[in-house]
Amino acid sequence: MAPEKIDQNRDHGPDSPEDSTTTDKFVFPKWVNLLREGTAVAAIGGLVYVVVLITGVFSPEMSAMGYAPVQPVPYSHALHAGDLGIDCRYCHTAVETTAKATLPPTATCMNCHATIKTESEKLAVVRESAETGRPIPWVRIHDLPDFVYFNHAGHIQSGVGCVSCHGQINRMTVVEQAKPLTMGWCLDCHRDPDPNLRPMDLVTDMTWTPDGDPAVLGAQLRAEHNINPSTDCTTCHR
Amino acid sequence: MPRPILYVLLVVVAASLVPMGLVYKARHSRKTHPRIQVVYDMDNQYKSKTQTENAFFADGMAMRHSPDGTVAQGQLEADDALYRGQVAGDTLFVETFPVEVTSEMMYRGQERFNIYCAPCHGASGDGNGLVNVRAAALAEGTWTPPTDLRGQTVIDRPVGHIYNTIKNGIRNMPAYGPQIPVSDRWAIVAYVRALQLSRNASIEDVPAEVRASLQK
C-alpha cells in the first residue's frame, strides 16, 4: 500500500494550505480500489449482456416461432387433421405437385359444412365467402421472404414429412409456426437430410417415428431415391 | 463499501434481469402479432404470388380464372369415356375402364381413396368414416350418411357412373372433381371395385401361401 500513500501526498501537494492539518485531510476509502476491477467487470459484463440481449431479441425463436395470429375462422387442425384423421392433402391438394401447399378454396370447406354445422356462428365467414365468391382472408403464418422460392412438391416427393417443418399440426387448435424457417435452419437439413427423410407413403403422417436411428433409415432412403439436396444459392434464390 | 452504493448496484443488476426475462418469456410464448422487422430488405415485394391478394380485382384475388369459353392447350378433354365416364356421343356410362388397370394404379387408388373418400366412406368403404361418426353424433338432421360402397347398389353401377359420382357428386355428396385429377379418379374407381371384391371374397380367393396368415 506504499504507492497509495505517495499518491495522497501528491494529490494535496506540499503547497496545499491543508498540508499541515493532517486531521481533516480527505482520504479515499479503501473500497474505492474496487472501482478499477469493478469497472472492468461492468464493461465485460455489459458487453456480454448487450450481445446476449440482441441475440435473443433478433433470434427466430423470438421473431417468428410461436407466431399464431387470430384467424378469421377459428378452424382447428386438431379437430380436422387430428381427431377426424383427415389427410393433409384432402385440403392442401397441390402440395405434392406444385411449389405451394395451397390453401383450400371455400368450396372444400363446404364439402362438409353444407350439411354439418350449417348454423354455426363460427362458420359465418365461410358461408359468406361461399355466397360472395370472395376468399376467406386467412392470415399467413409461414411466410418466407419474397426472394426465397421454396418448393413443397420437391420436399414431399423426396420424403420430407410435413411435420419436419410445420411441427405437430394435428395437435394445434390454433396453428403456430413451430420451426425457425431461417436460412441456416434450411441449410442444416440440406447438408444432412438423413434424419428428416421417411418413406414416401408416410409424408403426411404426423405421429410416425422410425424404429431405429432416423439417420440410418434416412441414409438408406436417400441412396434408394437418389436424394442430393443442393446448397447452391440458386436452389432457393433466383 | 457504503450501503447506499451497494443497494444501488444491486437494484441495477436486478433491473438488468427484467429485459432478459421479457426476452425469455417472448421466446417461449405464442404471439398473435407478426414479427417486428427493423430492416425490411426485400422480404415483402410489390408483386403477386400464388394465392396472394390484389385489390385491383373485384374478388380481391391476384390469381385469375381463364375467361369463360376458352380452353388451354392440351386441356380440351374431348374423350368422353376418359373425362366423363360416358360412352362417346351418348349419356350411357361406360362399363369398362378407359385406362389400363395396373397394380401400381391400384395402390395409387388406395392412397387417394384414403385421403379423399375415407373421411366419410371409411377406409373399408362401409360408409362409416370418422366424419360420419361425428356428424351422426351431432344429430343435426342435415346429414345424410354416406353410401356403403361395397353394397349391391354400387356393385351394379358401371365404372363410368362411379367416375361421374367422384367428378360431379351425387345427391348430398359434393363434387370431388376440383380436388382429384382424372387419372386419380379412375384409380379410386378401381380401388372401390377392389373393396367390393374383398367384401364378398371367401378364404378360397386368398392365395394358398398367405392363407395361413389370415387364419388365427
Side-chain angles (χ1 to χ4, degrees):
Chain A
M1 287 291 123
E4 205 176 49
K5 275 186 179 167
I6 292 166
D7 282 348
Q8 280 175 17
N9 289 336
R10 251 188 221 150
D11 281 349
H12 298 278
D15 315 330
S16 170
E18 286 96 347
D19 196 30
S20 53
T21 55
T22 46
T23 44
D24 49 355
K25 186 196 247 177
F26 178 79
V27 178
F28 277 99
K30 269 201 168 174
W31 64 265
V32 170
N33 286 332
L34 284 171
L35 282 179
R36 193 173 54 183
E37 288 85 352
T39 309
V41 167
I44 294 166
L47 197 67
V48 170
Y49 179 84
V50 168
V51 167
V52 169
L53 197 67
I54 287 177
T55 313
V57 167
F58 290 97
S59 67
E61 287 84 354
M62 178 77 172
S63 58
M65 283 168 75
Y67 177 42
V70 178
Q71 300 288 355
V73 182
Y75 174 84
S76 165
H77 277 82
L79 171 64
H80 292 83
D83 297 349
L84 295 175
I86 300 173
D87 193 280
C88 309
R89 292 164 289 188
Y90 182 93
C91 299
H92 304 290
T93 51
V95 73
E96 295 168 297
T97 48
T98 71
K100 303 282 175 173
T102 61
L103 263 76
T106 307
T108 305
C109 310
M110 295 307 278
N111 277 355
C112 297
H113 289 293
T115 50
I116 300 175
K117 295 267 184 190
T118 50
E119 303 294 317
S120 172
E121 196 57 39
K122 291 177 182 173
L123 290 164
V125 175
V126 177
R127 288 193 297 272
E128 191 195 320
S129 166
E131 277 165 32
T132 61
R134 284 187 72 91
I136 300 167
W138 298 109
V139 182
R140 186 157 190 178
I141 301 163
H142 304 87
D143 193 9
L144 299 177
D146 279 354
F147 48 81
V148 179
Y149 292 82
F150 177 82
N151 191 310
H152 275 89
H155 289 82
I156 296 286
Q157 286 170 13
S158 300
V160 179
C162 308
V163 73
S164 295
C165 303
H166 293 289
Q168 291 242 283
I169 295 278
N170 61 324
R171 288 196 193 159
M172 296 181 194
T173 310
V174 178
V175 175
E176 65 175 76
Q177 184 174 328
K179 305 284 173 166
L181 306 188
T182 55
M183 182 170 144
W185 181 82
C186 292
L187 280 172
D188 283 346
C189 186
H190 271 241
R191 290 183 180 125
D192 178 27
D194 296 352
N196 293 310
L197 295 179
R198 52 173 70 199
M200 305 290 175
D201 54 338
L202 293 167
V203 279
T204 59
D205 194 318
M206 287 282 155
T207 50
W208 177 85
T209 46
D211 287 334
D213 184 1
V216 174
L217 176 69
Q220 195 186 320
L221 290 166
R222 193 176 167 189
E224 197 181 313
H225 299 292
N226 193 26
I227 296 161
N228 298 301
S230 166
T231 49
D232 198 280
C233 308
T234 52
T235 304
C236 309
H237 307 294
R238 11 182 156 121
Chain B
M1 189 185 291
R3 282 291 161 100
I5 295 178
L6 190 65
Y7 290 153
V8 166
L9 276 178
L10 284 175
V11 166
V12 167
V13 169
S16 74
L17 292 174
V18 172
M20 285 292 193
L22 289 173
V23 168
Y24 184 85
K25 182 173 169 284
R27 281 171 73 102
H28 293 87
S29 60
R30 286 166 155 230
K31 299 163 269 281
T32 52
H33 54 85
R35 69 196 172 111
I36 299 160
Q37 273 184 285
V38 181
V39 183
Y40 261 85
D41 293 331
M42 291 172 77
D43 283 6
N44 297 297
Q45 302 168 15
Y46 290 103
K47 64 181 178 186
S48 293
K49 296 177 95 176
T50 312
Q51 294 194 319
T52 52
E53 276 183 78
N54 191 327
F56 180 77
F57 298 106
D59 57 11
M61 293 189 277
M63 292 166 77
R64 311 311 305 158
H65 291 285
S66 318
D68 287 341
T70 60
V71 177
Q73 284 202 11
Q75 293 181 9
L76 184 56
E77 305 193 348
D79 187 337
D80 280 331
L82 180 64
Y83 292 105
R84 284 169 282 283
Q86 289 172 331
V87 177
D90 204 337
T91 51
L92 283 172
F93 290 115
V94 291
E95 302 275 350
T96 52
F97 283 90
V99 289
E100 196 191 346
V101 179
T102 61
S103 148
E104 196 186 324
M105 174 205 190
M106 197 61 93
Y107 280 114
R108 174 79 182 174
Q110 179 182 37
E111 186 191 57
R112 297 294 119 174
F113 181 92
N114 288 335
I115 295 169
Y116 298 106
C117 315
C120 290
H121 287 286
S124 66
D126 63 358
N128 196 24
L130 288 170
V131 169
N132 180 58
V133 171
R134 183 171 164 86
L138 288 169
E140 296 176 308
T142 45
W143 175 256
T144 312
T147 305
D148 181 350
L149 298 176
R150 307 163 315 173
Q152 200 58 44
T153 333
V154 187
I155 290 175
D156 291 341
R157 279 185 186 146
V159 288
H161 189 167
I162 303 174
Y163 173 91
N164 180 71
T165 305
I166 295 170
K167 187 188 175 204
N168 299 315
I170 188 168
R171 295 189 296 278
N172 280 328
M173 176 179 151
Y176 276 80
Q179 275 158 281
I180 310 173
V182 175
S183 60
D184 285 348
R185 292 175 212 159
W186 284 114
I188 290 171
V189 175
Y191 184 67
V192 168
R193 280 286 189 249
L195 286 175
Q196 293 168 346
L197 275 177
S198 71
R199 172 68 169 176
N200 299 295
S202 67
I203 194 71
E204 277 69 44
D205 296 322
V206 181
E209 59 270 24
V210 291
R211 210 173 283 174
S213 66
L214 293 174
Q215 288 173 323
K216 283 189 177 166

